[in-house]
Amino acid sequence: MSINQVAVILAGLLGAISFSHILWNKRLKHVWPKRGEINIVNPSGFFTGLAEIVFQTKVIANRPFVGFMHLLVIYGFMAFGAKSVAHVYVGVVGAHDPISLGVLDGVLDVVAILVASSVVGLAIRRYTVMRHRLTHMVESGIVLGL
């Protein structure tokens, strides 16, 4: 392993530690439930709740167009995450050929356009139609920009 690979891994670990520290101390620690304060949000069970997230069933049931855009964003980010992990892995191990993700490689360009258009559509909706429900406008803008 070369010094550059060690430096990249070390910088990534330090960044993750710093991010986790700030996330916990500034955002989560004061609102994290203590033992005995945890309420079951979804009494139907874990798998039903997981299905609601994976398939966006509640959002699609109430607002089909918005639910579909949420699905595009979720699965698009998962696809980009998988491809990014593959790129980082290839770079860290020093391989010369990229890792193929099968069908995902062929449709990633289309997914990128769909995700970008969904993010723009959801942002326009959030900042215009749903503006009264937006509590942290600047913070939401920064997250959107990332």
Side-chain angles (χ1 to χ4, degrees), residues 19-117:
F19 172 78
S20 300
H21 176 74
I22 292 170
L23 180 67
W24 177 253
N25 288 321
K26 302 283 184 184
R27 292 286 178 205
L28 296 176
K29 187 176 183 179
H30 64 284
V31 296
W32 199 261
K34 309 297 183 262
R35 242 175 235 232
E37 296 178 353
I38 298 175
N39 297 329
I40 298 174
V41 176
N42 190 344
S44 301
F46 174 76
F47 292 109
T48 306
L50 184 65
E52 287 177 9
I53 294 169
V54 171
F55 301 118
Q56 293 289 304
T57 53
K58 283 193 173 186
V59 180
I60 289 176
N62 296 328
R63 299 163 295 179
F65 183 69
V66 174
F68 182 70
M69 289 194 313
H70 275 97
L71 273 178
L72 288 175
V73 170
I74 288 171
Y75 289 120
F77 285 151
M78 288 171 54
F80 293 130
K83 192 62 175 177
S84 297
V85 166
H87 282 303
V88 169
Y89 177 75
V90 166
V92 169
V93 299
H96 297 290
D97 297 323
I99 297 173
S100 174
L101 296 179
V103 176
L104 183 61
D105 286 336
V107 298
L108 209 51
D109 293 337
V110 175
V111 170
I113 292 170
L114 290 174
V115 168
S117 60

